[in-house]
Each structure stands twice: as structure tokens, then as C-alpha cells.
Amino acid sequence: MSGLPAVPAVPAGQRGEPNRVRLRLARADFELAVDLHLPPRGITVLFGASGSGKTSVLRCVAGLETAGNALVRIGGETWQDNDAGLLRPTWQRALGYVFQEASLFEHLDVLRNLRFGQRRATGTEGANCTDAAAQLDEVITLLGLGTLLRRRPAQLSGGERQRVAIARALATRPALLLLDEPLAALDQPRRQEILPWLERLRDELRVPMLYVTHSADEMARLADHLVVLARGQVLASGPTAEVLSAIHGPGVVGEDAGALLQGRLVERDERWHLARVAFDGGSLWLRDSGLALGQAARLRVLARDVSLTTTEPQHTSIQNLLPGVVDAIADDTHPSQALLRVRCGGSLLLARITRKAVDALALQPGSAVWLQVKSVALVQ
């Protein structure tokens, strides 16, 4: 069994089309106004502070709220087009919705909760029984629920409940999976329990996901495409690594500013419990977390953890040293600070240093530098 839930019946020529979400909705203290072209695969993260309009976007896409000037086109099918006078009700939209709370039926065991979602996909309990059963088996395998099927929700941990909620949403064979801060109600251990399952969905699932969070850690770990919202407005939208490295744009600022690197584990130092991840432009040592050699890895390097020098460092406790060239210099959130984007081969890193240091080192675009990376986080 492949472990991959089937894609909804959308014409083959349309499956690769970008999804379109254009909305306008008045709120008490701001107006939500977005116009997004979103990829047809992977996780798109809506990121921003509480009250920025993230959940409102999800509710409008789901048809739970009606926006003006709206165009919602998913998987080649139009769910809402105000110009054409088209508005599909929620029950006619091929979507799965996962809320902060799992909202399972407490009187049903896990399997019967999943079959409830399955019946919505088939329309009637007996329709397409063979295909529906096979697809449900695939979802159960994908989310590791085989040993939980006879338990009732009260017998599940918070992380297990959310996995069941996600599986039930997938059992509807959605063209789009909506996740509204699915980890917000979980404590830290339960969040760590469910994150690998979300990563597996991202890497193996062929259904696009729209994921709401205000957690920078979740965003860095899960997002393929990133949309940054503030007071209903789109500040930035694009591939995650590009948005995070756009220092002249308003992307993710403050303490969350940093680079996202895609690499592969190439070496393990068993004596010192370290692992080396190579990426386009160099490699970085970090704490060995048990990844297999050759496994893909996503690294997050915060700007505050990078310092610069114009000569190759010698006799330093910092293990990660990379040659690079200053690509751009921008103002930071405080006038004493500057944010520098530095190119290392085909990758970009950010460094936050003082304006005084920029002046003392005579740094400008094109300056050759060495980056001293004090900390690296493995987010995959």
C-alpha cells in the first residue's frame, strides 16, 4: 500500500494550476484584503500575529463566511466568484477542515469517526465502497492510526486526537485541507509528537494544505510557501526561503528573522555527537539528532546567531565558519541595528549586527566576509 491518499477527481490538466484566493472582508478594526496565487501542492502557511486575519481567510475559503470581491478557485474548480454570481455552500466544497480542538464524536471509536468523514466523500454510506475503504486504509497508514482504531476519543492523547481529526478530514477526499492552528491547544510534548506526522503529510500528500499559525517554529518547519499577514494585509507571499531572506521587504522581522536552508546529512562525528549537513554553499555542524546519512534536512539559522568578520577567524570556539559576500544591507527594527543578507554559494543567510560594526568594518554590498554561525536549528 502506497500510503498516499487519492487525489480528488479533478481533470489532469488542471491539477497543476495555482490555487487562487482573492477576498475582501470588513472586520471591526481592519479590512481583510488578500489576492493570493498559491501552489497546488505542499503546505502554504498563513503566518502572523493573533488578529491579523489568518483564520478569516480560512473561513472564507471554506464558505463559513462570505467575503466580497471574492474569487476562490481550488484544484481547477471555482468555489466562489462574485463577478459571475457563483457561491458554492460549504457542503459542496471539496475541503477538509481541522480546528484547534479535535471535535471528535465522543460516543464513537476512532474507526467510526473516520467512517463519518468517509461517508461525506461518497455521498451515501454504500457508494464507491471498495475505493472508499482503500482510501481510508491509506489515510490510516499515513497517520499511523492502526493501533488506535478501537479506542474512543477519551482514551487518546491530545496529539492522537489531532491525528484522528486530520485523518477524518482527509477521509473526505478533499481538494484542499485547511488547518487552523492545529497545535495551539497542545502542550509542548504533544506538539513534538504530532509535528513529524505533519511533516509526513507535507512530504507525501498530494493534497494542498492551507495552515494557520503564529508560531515561527511551526512556520519554519512546515511551510513550503509562506504568506505573512498583518491587520488583514499581505506583507509578503512566496517560497518560504525567499520570503525569509527578503530583508528589504516586511517579511518575518524582529527576533524571528533568519534564513532557511535545504540540505542533506553527509557526515556524523560519533565521538562528539555531532552531524554535518551540507547545503548549496557550504555545510554546518549541529547536534546529532539521529537522522540517517543522506537524509534531507531543513535548517534554520537566525540572524541574531550570525556574526561577521572580514578575515578568516582563527582559534575560535565557533565551529561553523563560512565564507560569503554581502548581498544587501537594510535597516533593522531598531536604528542601532542593521540586517545584512550574505550570499554563500547558492544560499542566502542573514546577520544582525550593529550599525557601528557595519561602519567599523566598512561593509557594503560586494564585501567579502566570513560568517560565524553560533547556533543552527534542525527543523526537519
Side-chain angles (χ1 to χ4, degrees):
M1 192 171 293
S2 67
L4 301 178
V7 177
V10 176
Q14 296 178 342
R15 289 179 188 165
E17 292 181 7
N19 294 320
R20 181 77 182 278
V21 176
R22 187 187 71 214
L23 305 167
R24 188 174 294 275
L25 183 68
R27 283 296 186 225
D29 54 349
F30 64 83
E31 182 179 56
L32 176 67
V34 303
D35 191 352
L36 302 169
H37 294 78
L38 304 176
R41 299 280 176 86
I43 296 181
T44 294
V45 167
L46 301 180
F47 180 78
S50 297
S52 59
K54 307 183 298 297
T55 295
S56 294
V57 173
L58 252 62
R59 290 179 58 82
C60 290
V61 170
L64 299 175
E65 293 192 54
T66 303
N69 189 32
L71 177 62
V72 179
R73 184 177 294 125
I74 305 296
E77 295 187 352
T78 302
W79 292 354
Q80 183 175 354
D81 185 349
N82 285 23
D83 293 339
L86 173 64
L87 178 61
R88 285 193 183 185
T90 299
W91 64 271
Q92 288 185 345
R93 302 186 185 200
L95 61 88
Y97 205 126
V98 180
F99 298 90
Q100 291 184 20
E101 297 288 348
S103 301
L104 303 177
F105 295 113
E106 297 294 332
H107 65 291
L108 301 179
D109 63 19
V110 167
L111 182 58
R112 286 185 290 173
N113 266 281
L114 298 181
R115 285 178 175 165
F116 178 86
Q118 183 185 48
R119 285 197 296 273
R120 181 187 168 206
T122 59
T124 62
E125 192 166 351
N128 301 319
C129 183
T130 301
D131 288 346
Q135 290 155 5
L136 184 58
D137 284 345
E138 289 175 340
V139 170
I140 289 168
T141 300
L142 183 66
L143 284 164
L145 300 176
T147 61
L148 306 178
L149 296 179
R150 296 304 175 189
R151 296 188 194 176
R152 292 202 174 185
Q155 299 171 300
L156 302 175
S157 71
E160 289 168 342
R161 289 173 64 94
Q162 282 299 74
R163 279 160 54 198
V164 173
I166 293 168
R168 188 174 66 179
L170 290 173
T172 67
R173 302 176 61 197
L176 178 67
L177 183 62
L178 305 173
L179 301 104
D180 188 3
E181 301 206 60
L183 307 187
L186 303 179
D187 58 24
Q188 188 60 25
R190 300 292 79 74
R191 291 184 187 185
Q192 295 305 312
E193 169 193 322
I194 199 172
L195 275 168
W197 298 102
L198 291 171
E199 288 174 332
R200 189 174 182 188
L201 291 181
R202 180 197 64 206
D203 297 340
E204 299 186 28
L205 198 63
R206 290 174 288 172
V207 176
M209 288 173 273
L210 201 54
Y211 187 105
V212 164
T213 185
H214 62 268
S215 165
D217 290 338
E218 288 176 40
M219 172 270 293
R221 186 163 179 171
L222 298 173
D224 299 301
H225 188 94
L226 178 60
V227 178
V228 182
L229 290 171
R231 294 185 58 79
Q233 305 298 305
V234 176
L235 301 185
S237 178
T240 305
E242 292 182 13
V243 172
L244 294 181
S245 63
I247 61 173
H248 290 296
V252 181
V253 296
E255 292 304 301
D256 292 328
L260 203 60
L261 304 173
Q262 300 289 345
R264 194 167 299 276
L265 195 143
V266 296
E267 184 180 355
R268 174 171 283 109
D269 187 330
E270 294 184 359
R271 179 184 180 187
W272 300 112
H273 307 286
L274 298 172
R276 184 168 66 90
V277 173
F279 60 94
D280 185 4
S283 63
L284 294 166
W285 286 97
L286 59 154
R287 185 172 57 185
D288 186 3
S289 62
L291 287 183
L293 287 175
Q295 186 170 341
R298 179 183 285 204
L299 304 178
R300 186 176 179 217
V301 181
L302 295 178
R304 65 170 181 259
D305 291 328
V306 179
S307 63
L308 302 177
T309 176
T310 54
T311 58
E312 183 175 2
Q314 302 290 332
H315 309 296
T316 173
S317 63
I318 297 176
Q319 301 292 296
N320 290 313
L321 307 172
L322 298 168
V325 176
V326 175
D327 181 70
I329 302 174
D331 293 332
D332 201 8
T333 53
H334 191 275
S336 67
Q337 306 289 306
L339 200 59
L340 283 73
R341 186 172 62 204
V342 181
R343 185 171 297 278
C344 298
S347 300
L348 295 169
L349 284 89
L350 300 183
R352 174 177 283 118
I353 63 176
T354 65
R355 276 287 178 185
K356 181 178 180 181
V358 173
D359 181 72
L361 296 174
L363 297 178
Q364 57 185 337
S367 296
V369 294
W370 281 85
L371 297 88
Q372 301 181 109
V373 181
K374 292 173 281 187
S375 178
V376 183
L378 178 71
V379 294
Q380 176 183 354

